[in-house]
Amino acid sequence: MDIFGSQLEEALPILQEQIQGCDFLAMDMEFTGLHSVLPHSLKPSLFDSADDWYRKVRSSVQKFTVCQIGLSLFFKQKSNRFLSYSYNFFLFPLTFGSIDSEFAIQATSIQFLNEFGFDFNKFLKDGISYLNEEQEERLKKDILTGNWCPQSASEKDKLKEVIVAVTDWEASAKEGDSIRLHNLKGFQMLMAQLVLRQALPDIWTIPVEGSELLVRKVNRQRRQQLENSSLDPCGKNRVLLLARGFTNIFQTIVGAKKPVVGHNMLMDLLHVHHKFYRPLPESYSEFKKNIHTLFPVILDTKILTGAVWKEFQFPWAGNLSKIFDVLSSDMNPASPSCPLIEHAVDCRKYVENRCPHEAAYDAFLCGSVLIQMAHLLLVSGQGETEELERSYTQYVKIVSKYVNQVNVIRAGFSCVNFSGPDPFPKRPPALLLTVRGWPDVDEQQIYREFLSICRVDVKRLRGTQFLLLTTKFKGVRAIQQEYKGHPNLQLCVYRYWRHSPAVCCVFSVCGVVLVWSAVAFVLGKSVPQHL
């Protein structure tokens, strides 16, 4: 089900009730960009430490925005079933008062979304607003000071038309007369009411029939009574409610403390922190601490998939959709007894339609994959394949060792542990490349040289020596085999105590000191004693 800015207020109570009542929820996001490519130093690398990696992605998260969030809420039912409610939320940054967010667009990301049918009109025209805590404080100050001025030229022109029309009408209207304004939606409706009431003290505004605004002429005593009543649709609390938008959902998820499931979800968590909670801190350790406080139980199906695929030797599956297909097929020995996952009555879009990279669909796949893998691990551990009723608690217990482990796509470490120290990475060794007969060679030229074998990250060590890193052990072996005996490119496994410039410098200095000490000792003994 798609939910837009004009629908959120009505849908919010039901969504909050479902979030509080579900067993777990799965989440997926689509962005206007992933990683900054300029300057080149911001590109993630296998040479990055955790702090280096965080500094780079923090910069990217600050530039790009979230254009769609998918939530899939899963409820364990009797008779070996799960029920899922899947929702698509189109988001757009708030423009209100002094708040006018900036964000970048990356061509490859937009092209990718367009290829999979993303509706940019829904994103731009009726996206749901959101605020983090810092922006909300600014908004509260704007409310106190009466700063309702919109930021965009089109919004200003629209409001100017509204004010002129109502002012002309109000000049000749009598008390009790009314006029209707049409085609006002979401925050535009609220803005029109605020500006009209500020400009005209003898009118009252009431939203009616979705996109229509009723303006009625009243005396000032009646106006004051209405403003002080609970019936005021422009009260401070309602302004904040509408401005928070999706942040209301985020706060409900945080309060519910339900397990949050994602697939390769680290960028999702970074955006969640920055867009709905607080601007990302400078410290990587503080980011980890904050996320663990917000979401005490996180499950990344990318981590779980790695363990399951290795144990059961399933064929390679490069994305979430293929993983789901493998687990739903006869290749999965536990597939016949797996719980039936059903879509709720109001959320049946994905019963027959496959919508890859639509956020709610990917969230549904993610939650389904978790159930299938947990069931497979549970069944194989018990040595049973027949259909039996398993409790939700059993599924939680079998995947407990993977809790709060989130995959890192490209860095010097492979996993973030949000509830403790990050595990030591199990990565192939670095290769030391010594280049001869290739003047002025740089990292990009070295990268392209080895690209036909595997993707490597390149870092200059010194002069014509470079370090090579890849994520595949077979890639290291292939490079060594292909370039064995090469006249100009000599490869060996990098050893820190042997090849590090710093260590070599220390040894060199120590050697010089020892030599001069020996020379001084010899010369000192050869000097005649009487001198």
Side-chain angles (χ1 to χ4, degrees):
M1 176 186 293
D2 292 342
I3 297 181
F4 310 111
S6 57
Q7 302 169 324
L8 181 64
E9 185 178 12
E10 182 179 353
L12 188 58
I14 296 174
L15 291 168
Q16 291 175 324
E17 182 180 352
Q18 289 177 346
I19 290 170
Q20 291 165 352
C22 71
D23 290 298
F24 73 91
L25 62 92
M27 177 174 62
D28 184 74
M29 297 184 188
E30 302 297 337
F31 314 113
T32 60
L34 287 176
H35 294 291
S36 298
V37 294
L38 294 173
H40 185 73
S41 59
L42 287 179
K43 189 176 181 181
S45 165
L46 296 174
F47 293 100
D48 291 339
S49 65
D51 290 328
D52 291 336
W53 171 87
Y54 178 72
R55 174 182 56 82
K56 291 179 179 181
V57 297
R58 178 175 178 263
S59 176
S60 295
V61 169
Q62 291 169 333
K63 289 182 179 180
F64 302 116
T65 195
V66 180
C67 51
Q68 189 182 67
I69 291 183
L71 291 181
S72 197
L73 315 176
F74 287 82
F75 296 76
K76 181 68 170 70
Q77 308 287 294
K78 294 180 179 180
S79 304
N80 203 33
R81 295 187 306 124
F82 276 87
L83 183 66
S84 171
Y85 290 82
S86 299
Y87 300 101
N88 260 324
F89 300 88
F90 287 85
L91 303 190
F92 192 82
L94 177 70
T95 57
F96 186 85
S98 63
I99 299 175
D100 186 15
S101 303
E102 296 180 2
F103 62 89
I105 292 177
Q106 198 167 34
T108 51
S109 295
I110 298 302
Q111 185 179 41
F112 174 83
L113 291 173
N114 187 58
E115 288 175 359
F116 288 95
F118 184 84
D119 193 330
F120 290 95
N121 281 327
K122 293 178 180 178
F123 159 58
L124 295 170
K125 292 184 177 180
D126 201 9
I128 301 169
S129 61
Y130 54 85
L131 292 172
N132 60 33
E133 291 180 1
E134 184 180 279
Q135 292 171 320
E136 186 168 336
E137 288 303 312
R138 286 170 55 193
L139 177 64
K140 288 178 180 178
K141 291 181 181 178
D142 289 344
I143 292 173
L144 289 175
T145 58
N147 180 15
W148 312 117
C149 182
Q151 297 292 338
S152 70
S154 60
E155 290 290 336
K156 290 180 180 178
D157 291 342
K158 179 69 174 178
L159 288 178
K160 188 179 295 184
E161 292 177 10
V162 167
I163 292 173
V164 170
V166 175
T167 301
D168 291 345
W169 166 81
E170 193 263 350
S172 58
K174 298 178 181 179
E175 184 177 340
D177 289 350
S178 62
I179 184 177
R180 291 197 177 209
L181 306 176
H182 305 279
N183 298 321
L184 296 170
K185 294 183 178 180
F187 229 81
Q188 189 181 69
M189 171 82 75
L190 182 60
M191 185 78 73
Q193 295 183 78
L194 292 169
V195 172
L196 283 172
R197 291 189 190 181
Q198 193 175 43
L200 302 171
D202 296 326
I203 59 100
W204 186 249
T205 57
I206 306 170
V208 292
E209 299 179 10
S211 62
E212 290 190 359
L213 180 64
L214 179 68
V215 181
R216 177 170 292 155
K217 188 162 184 178
V218 297
N219 61 54
R220 299 193 180 188
Q221 182 180 1
R222 177 58 177 160
R223 161 87 177 247
Q224 188 175 12
Q225 291 175 347
L226 290 169
E227 284 179 342
N228 294 329
S229 74
S230 59
L231 301 176
D232 185 7
C234 294
K236 176 182 176 181
N237 291 337
R238 185 164 183 268
V239 173
L240 289 172
L241 177 75
L242 292 178
R244 286 192 197 105
F246 187 83
T247 305
N248 294 296
I249 302 292
F250 161 76
Q251 291 172 344
T252 303
I253 295 171
V254 170
K257 300 300 180 186
K258 302 294 182 179
V260 177
V261 183
H263 186 80
N264 255 339
M265 63 188 301
L266 193 48
M267 290 301 293
D268 296 359
L269 294 173
L270 285 155
H271 277 278
V272 162
H273 189 299
H274 190 70
K275 303 300 190 296
F276 313 128
Y277 179 49
R278 295 173 186 167
L280 284 170
E282 294 186 5
S283 165
Y284 169 66
S285 59
E286 187 178 348
F287 161 71
K288 285 180 57 176
K289 179 182 176 181
N290 290 347
I291 289 294
H292 187 53
T293 301
L294 295 171
F295 309 120
V297 180
I298 295 172
L299 277 161
D300 186 351
T301 53
K302 180 67 175 180
I303 293 288
L304 190 54
T305 299
V308 168
W309 252 240
K310 185 176 181 179
E311 180 176 350
F312 293 93
Q313 298 183 340
F314 289 135
W316 181 81
N319 57 49
L320 187 59
S321 183
K322 291 180 180 178
I323 293 169
F324 176 79
D325 290 339
V326 169
L327 293 172
S328 302
S329 70
D330 295 337
M331 290 181 281
N332 179 3
S335 181
S337 63
C338 190
L340 179 65
I341 303 171
E342 298 180 328
H343 295 277
V345 174
D346 296 334
C347 305
R348 300 185 63 81
K349 177 180 179 180
Y350 306 132
V351 173
E352 297 181 356
N353 300 314
R354 296 173 69 96
C355 305
H357 302 293
E358 185 170 284
Y361 180 72
D362 284 355
F364 168 74
L365 290 186
C366 189
S368 300
V369 162
L370 174 66
I371 293 169
Q372 290 169 322
M373 288 194 290
H375 181 76
L376 174 59
L377 293 172
L378 186 62
V379 166
S380 63
Q382 295 175 344
E384 302 171 344
T385 56
E386 67 271 15
E387 184 173 340
L388 296 173
E389 180 75 17
R390 270 95 181 176
S391 68
Y392 174 69
T393 304
Q394 288 178 292
Y395 289 126
V396 171
K397 186 176 180 180
I398 200 68
V399 299
S400 60
K401 66 179 180 180
Y402 305 103
V403 166
N404 295 330
Q405 310 292 309
V406 176
N407 186 60
V408 182
I409 295 178
R410 200 162 193 87
F413 61 116
S414 59
C415 175
V416 176
N417 179 11
F418 282 101
S419 53
D422 296 339
F424 188 79
K426 298 178 181 179
R427 288 282 175 83
L431 294 177
L432 176 64
L433 171 68
T434 303
V435 181
R436 295 177 180 174
W438 192 350
D440 302 323
V441 62
D442 60 24
E443 288 92 337
Q444 284 299 312
Q445 290 170 315
I446 297 297
Y447 170 81
R448 289 192 291 269
E449 173 70 25
F450 293 96
L451 190 58
S452 60
I453 300 175
C454 69
R455 181 182 172 185
V456 295
D457 284 356
V458 185
K459 180 180 180 181
R460 189 186 296 272
L461 185 64
R462 61 182 175 184
T464 57
Q465 286 189 321
F466 298 85
L467 291 178
L468 310 181
L469 279 177
T470 181
T471 58
K472 305 291 185 182
F473 282 92
K474 64 180 181 180
V476 171
R477 293 191 294 268
I479 289 174
Q480 289 177 312
Q481 183 65 31
E482 180 71 21
Y483 285 84
K484 185 177 181 180
H486 194 284
N488 297 323
L489 303 177
Q490 296 181 354
L491 287 159
C492 66
V493 175
Y494 174 74
R495 306 294 183 192
Y496 177 79
W497 292 108
R498 181 180 175 186
H499 301 119
S500 169
V503 173
C504 291
C505 181
V506 170
F507 284 157
S508 297
V509 171
C510 291
V512 170
V513 171
L514 286 172
V515 169
W516 279 105
S517 298
V519 170
F521 177 76
V522 171
L523 292 176
K525 291 192 69 175
S526 65
V527 175
Q529 293 296 323
H530 67 275
L531 295 177

Coordinates of all heavy atoms in Angstrom, one line a residue, residues 88 125 428:
N88 N 4.5 1.4 1.5 CA 5.4 2.3 0.8 C 5.2 3.7 1.3 O 4.1 4.3 1.2 CB 5.2 2.3 -0.7 CG 6.2 1.4 -1.4 OD1 7.4 1.3 -0.9 ND2 5.8 0.7 -2.4
K125 N 5.7 15.6 -5.4 CA 4.4 16.4 -5.3 C 3.7 16.0 -4.0 O 3.0 16.9 -3.4 CB 3.5 16.1 -6.5 CG 4.0 16.7 -7.8 CD 3.0 16.5 -8.9 CE 3.4 17.2 -10.2 NZ 2.4 17.0 -11.3
P428 N 41.2 -11.6 2.5 CA 42.5 -12.1 1.9 C 43.6 -11.2 2.2 O 43.4 -10.0 2.5 CB 42.1 -12.0 0.4 CG 40.7 -12.0 0.3 CD 40.2 -11.3 1.5

